[in-house]
């Protein structure tokens, strides 16, 4: 089953909720994982089930990065707030780097997230 991580910085959580609601039927076909608060909010506002990791600052980004390194992740939607400094920026940079190293698609905007989700659906249909 296709495994997708959903992560959003605080200012981007409303956009993530809207994305999850818009793509709920698509996301329901995936094995979802996400960081703490983002996962909790998605599950509260949709019928989706999301495996909850720690919040980003508490190691959630690193936990998801470990899954990328283990070959367990097919795509990541990480709606980042580019205008606000994050206290766990080194963890964020490590996640971005490990996605590049392992060639795992990573979306950081709504538009790129839609492309990745639609591409993963096509890949799953081809299998």
């Amino acid at each position: 089953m296709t495994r997708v991580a959903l992560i959003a910085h605080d200012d981007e959580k409303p956009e993530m909720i809207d994305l999850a609601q818009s793509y709920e039927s698509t996301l329901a076909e995936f094995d979802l994982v996400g960081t703490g608060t983002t996962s909790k909010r998605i599950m509260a506002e949709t019928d989706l089930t999301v495996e909850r990791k720690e919040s980003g600052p508490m190691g959630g980004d690193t936990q998801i990065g470990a899954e990328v390194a283990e070959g367990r992740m097919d795509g990541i939607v990480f709606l980042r707030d580019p205008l606000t400094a994050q206290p766990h920026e080194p963890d964020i940079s490590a996640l971005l780097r490990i996605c590049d190293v392992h060639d795992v698609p990573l979306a950081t905007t709504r538009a790129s997230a839609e492309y990745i989700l639609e591409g993963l659906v096509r890949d799953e249909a081809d299998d």
Side-chain angles (χ1 to χ4, degrees), residues 24-122:
E24 188 166 353
S25 63
T26 298
L27 292 170
E29 300 299 317
F30 296 155
D31 182 19
L32 301 175
V33 61
T35 50
T37 307
T38 302
S39 298
K40 185 177 181 179
R41 291 203 41 204
I42 290 169
M43 289 190 292
E45 299 187 41
T46 68
D47 289 327
L48 297 169
T49 299
V50 184
E51 178 186 330
R52 287 183 70 196
K53 300 293 186 182
E54 296 291 330
S55 68
M58 299 304 292
D61 299 331
T62 303
Q63 289 176 305
I64 291 170
E67 289 200 30
V68 171
E70 294 167 351
R72 297 184 56 219
M73 196 64 57
D74 298 298
I76 297 178
V77 174
F78 187 171
L79 300 184
R80 299 175 61 210
D81 178 359
L83 302 178
T84 303
Q86 301 296 324
H88 61 294
E89 191 64 41
D91 295 341
I92 295 166
S93 295
L95 177 59
L96 301 178
R97 181 186 159 290
I98 205 73
C99 286
D100 289 346
V101 168
H102 291 275
D103 198 26
V104 171
L106 169 75
T108 60
T109 66
R110 171 74 182 249
S112 61
E114 291 176 351
Y115 274 93
I116 284 178
L117 294 175
E118 291 168 14
L120 289 170
V121 167
R122 279 192 303 276

